[in-house]
Every structure is written in structure tokens, then in C-alpha cells.
Amino acid sequence: MRQHLDYAALFAAVPSPCLVMTPDMTIVAVNQAYLDACGRRREELLGRHVLDSCAHDHADPGRRRALRNLEASLRRARATGKPDVMAPQRCAMPVSGAGGLSEGRYWSTVNSPVFGSNGAVVLFVHRTEDVSAFLQQFRGSRSPMSPYATETHDLNEQVREAATYAERLLDRQRQFAADASHELRTPLAALRLQVEEAQLHPDHVDLRDLLGHLAGDLDRLAAIVDDLLLLATIEVDADEELEEVNLTSLVETVAARWAGSCDVRLDLEPAVTVDAASWQLTRLLAGLFDNARRHAARRLKVDLRRAGGHAELAVADDGHGVSPDDRDRIFQRFVRLDASRSRDRGGPGLGLAVARAIASAHRGTLHVEDAAYGGARFVLRLPLVS
């Protein structure tokens, strides 16, 4: 007889500090060793971004570098399907009994992907070990990491990240060529068929009807090309100069366009400000609202709040929702979940891919979950203005 294992108890008993997070780095489980190491309570961490468990000072200049290194490690783990070992990272940790003082400690971290039933990564196990004493012993009485060692470490991380990025771009290029050629061939075939039919039977052609169909297919081609060019622009111009954008005002402006087609309910914190390219953020919001409107039964619910150094925007509808197996797939290019929906009505399947690309370009995340009253709830997280 197979013995029943209490996996929660096993996780709690692991002596190494461990936590479990979603692909957008939100903590969903943490063991006691991790709580002891960072001097935090469980309720302070669950539902928060993983960096909030380490850096108490959101203005810490090392915070952005730590986020970049962690994101690179998670991308490698997702791409390879194997645990990824990060180089030692420095993190300010509280000193027990020192009245709120903290000290720099070095941690060796392993990020292990956890796959769902559809083969997509649904969680990451983030396990750390304090290696400060080892590094100090290795280097004698010197600082745990000298300036030279720090520069070497940073250079190694940049090389690894560049190699991973180049490999990912090559994969995207191959997939793009296959997807785009297939997608563009459909309206082109329709155009050719209508023109050839008109050439064969010119006396039976209703010119007004023909021109209407041709204009519709040309509009579809233009929409596909525009979205593909936008995706290429986002990926190439990753360093585009950003400006302070009042996200609250922008959401109100974009939401007003859909007020006449459905019941849009807003619950927005005032003056939530982010660093962004405003035209890209407007495109992202328009894509989320348009997607929600097409799937809503009667209403949309939009929430905006500050959460742990991030702006968190949620756009929810009361439609049929998105099954857990499809929640990552819908952000891929040219994906349509509803096979019964016509191509004209459903669009080319690029809207959510564009939205996630824009979120990533702004060092943010975009995912989908269940709405409170049914339907889908798309959640966008962007760093607040520092």
C-alpha cells in the first residue's frame, strides 16, 4: 500500500529557506526557514512580489539589478525545463535583536520550474542558502565579495543573459516566420479567389459587394501587419525613453471608449503613476478592454491599486473565463481559444500577445485568473515611479 505523504509538512520541514512563487514572481507558499532568515511573518509575504521578501528599502539601487538577475534565471529555468543556479546575490537582511538594523548577506539560489498538466510552467520553487561565511572564509579576512569579484560576477550574468536572449530571439524568429506566413496566407487566398471569380464571370459580379469583401480582407491584412510591426518595435526599442504616466487618468480615458457598448465599472486609486511609453500603455489597455468586451455577458469591472511597489490593474469580465490549461497559451501569437468564432470577429489572435510584450518591455507582468463573479480577470503589474 502506498503511504500517504503530507507534502505541506515536508515543505515546512525543509531546513533550507524555500518559497514557491507563480511565474509573475508572486509568493504563494513559504517555509519556516525562509521566514526565520528574512525576519518576516508569513502574512507579510504571501501574495507579495518575491523581492519584497528581501529588500525592505524600495529605493535600494541593488533592487533593480536583483530583479533583472532573478528574471533572467526564471527565463532560463522556463526555457530549459531544468533548475537554474544563480550566482551569489547580496540581500539586506535584518539583524536579530538589533532594533531594525540590517546587514548585507550573500545567498546562493536555485530556481526550479514546476509544470502543469499541459506542460507549461505554473510555479517556481525558489530555494536559497546563506553562503556569506563560506565566501568570507574563501577570501580570508577581506570583504565577502571584492569590487573586482562583483564586476566579474556582473559580467558573467550579462553574458549569460545575452546568450539566453539571443537564443530566445532566434526561436521567436523561426516561430514568427511559420505563424506569419500561415496567418497572412488566409486573407490573401480569399482576395485571390474573389478576384479570379470576378475575372472568370465578369457579367455576374456585383461590384459593390465585391469591393466590400475586398476592403474587409485588406483591413484584416493591415491589422495583422500593424500588430506584427508593433511587436517588432517593442522588442527592438526596449530602451525607448520613458515618461511619468498617470495610469489612473489613462485608464479612465481608455475605459470611456467602451462605456457605450457595455457596463464598465471602475474602482481606481487616484494618481497611480508609472514610468512608461504612454502610446504603448494605451495600446495595452485598449487590447485588454477590447478582449474583455468581446467575452463579457453584461459588464466589465476595472480595479487599480498600489501593491508592494507596483501598480496593479485588473480588468475582469463576466463571460465564460479561461481554463487553467489555456492561461499561458492565450498570450502566444495567433492563438484563438474559441474555434467557433469567425476570424473577422475574433481578430488575428495578436492582441494579448502584444499586451504581454508591452508589459514585459516595461518590466511588468500580465496574467489571467478567475474573476470573482465568473469570467476572466486579467492582472497587469507595473513598477511604480520610484
Side-chain angles (χ1 to χ4, degrees):
M1 179 181 296
R2 185 177 178 180
Q3 184 178 5
H4 173 72
L5 295 178
D6 188 341
Y7 291 101
L10 286 174
F11 177 69
V14 172
S16 299
C18 296
L19 58 79
V20 180
M21 58 182 161
T22 59
D24 68 344
M25 292 184 280
T26 298
I27 299 173
V28 294
V30 58
N31 70 354
Q32 188 60 46
Y34 197 97
L35 297 174
D36 293 340
C38 65
R40 308 290 288 275
R41 298 193 306 270
R42 194 178 305 275
E43 55 270 23
E44 291 179 316
L45 300 184
L46 294 181
R48 303 288 296 276
H49 193 277
V50 66
L51 285 194
D52 292 336
S53 68
C54 176
H56 294 265
D57 183 5
H58 286 220
D60 183 356
R63 182 178 173 84
R64 184 176 294 274
R65 183 173 62 184
L67 176 60
R68 185 168 62 248
N69 292 340
L70 178 57
E71 288 175 335
S73 175
L74 297 184
R75 285 197 300 268
R76 291 191 295 266
R78 183 196 294 267
T80 63
K82 299 178 181 179
D84 183 80
V85 181
M86 299 176 63
Q89 305 286 313
R90 187 179 185 277
C91 187
M93 307 303 294
V95 179
S96 178
L101 295 178
S102 60
E103 63 176 342
R105 309 291 294 176
Y106 287 89
W107 298 84
S108 176
T109 302
V110 180
N111 295 304
S112 302
V114 179
F115 296 91
S117 58
N118 65 341
V121 174
V122 294
L123 295 170
F124 287 101
V125 177
H126 179 82
R127 179 173 63 83
T128 65
E129 295 287 350
D130 187 348
V131 295
S132 302
F134 168 77
L135 289 176
Q136 185 147 3
Q137 182 179 9
F138 180 74
R139 294 178 174 89
S141 60
R142 294 176 297 172
S143 169
M145 188 169 285
S146 67
Y148 174 77
T150 300
E151 292 174 5
T152 302
H153 159 261
D154 290 344
L155 181 59
N156 287 337
E157 282 297 321
Q158 290 172 17
V159 170
R160 290 180 67 184
E161 187 169 353
T164 302
Y165 182 68
E167 184 177 354
R168 188 169 67 253
L169 282 182
L170 182 59
D171 289 341
R172 284 183 180 178
Q173 187 179 43
R174 291 170 179 152
Q175 189 63 47
F176 167 81
D179 290 342
S181 62
H182 172 77
E183 198 67 27
L184 292 171
R185 194 174 288 126
T186 300
L188 285 173
L191 284 167
R192 177 178 292 278
L193 179 63
Q194 294 173 81
V195 171
E196 289 178 349
E197 182 70 18
Q199 290 176 326
L200 289 172
H201 307 287
D203 296 334
H204 298 85
V205 173
D206 183 332
L207 184 59
R208 183 183 297 274
D209 182 65
L210 174 63
L211 292 176
H213 281 88
L214 293 179
D217 284 329
L218 288 172
D219 287 342
R220 173 175 170 74
L221 275 173
I224 295 173
V225 172
D226 287 345
D227 281 345
L228 290 175
L229 288 174
L230 177 56
L231 282 169
T233 300
I234 293 169
E235 292 178 354
V236 172
D237 297 337
D239 296 327
E240 179 177 347
E241 185 175 349
L242 305 181
E243 60 183 347
E244 290 190 11
V245 175
N246 187 324
L247 186 56
T248 304
S249 298
L250 189 59
V251 171
E252 291 173 338
T253 300
V254 176
R257 304 176 191 173
W258 278 266
S261 58
C262 60
D263 180 13
V264 181
R265 303 183 182 183
L266 303 180
D267 183 6
L268 313 177
E269 278 192 26
V272 178
T273 308
V274 297
D275 286 321
S278 59
W279 70 272
Q280 290 189 14
L281 213 51
T282 300
R283 177 65 175 80
L284 187 160
L285 295 175
L288 291 183
F289 277 100
D290 184 60
N291 179 75
R293 178 192 60 80
R294 284 190 287 108
H295 293 88
R298 294 188 306 275
R299 65 182 182 184
L300 307 183
K301 179 69 167 59
V302 183
D303 298 284
L304 176 63
R305 62 188 181 91
R306 297 175 178 86
H310 286 74
E312 185 174 285
L313 172 73
V315 179
D317 63 68
D318 58 349
H320 296 294
V322 180
S323 70
D325 289 343
D326 291 323
R327 289 178 184 175
D328 190 63
R329 194 167 68 88
I330 60 172
F331 293 103
Q332 298 174 12
R333 299 174 184 181
F334 303 115
V335 168
R336 305 176 190 82
L337 297 185
D338 188 356
S340 65
R341 184 196 301 153
S342 72
R343 286 180 174 264
D344 289 336
R345 182 168 175 247
L350 284 170
L352 292 178
V354 169
R356 175 168 275 188
I358 294 173
S360 297
H362 288 76
R363 307 198 67 80
T365 60
L366 176 63
H367 71 275
V368 62
E369 57 191 34
D370 288 331
Y373 46 82
R377 183 174 186 265
F378 287 82
V379 182
L380 169 70
R381 284 171 56 92
L382 296 172
L384 293 168
V385 170
S386 57

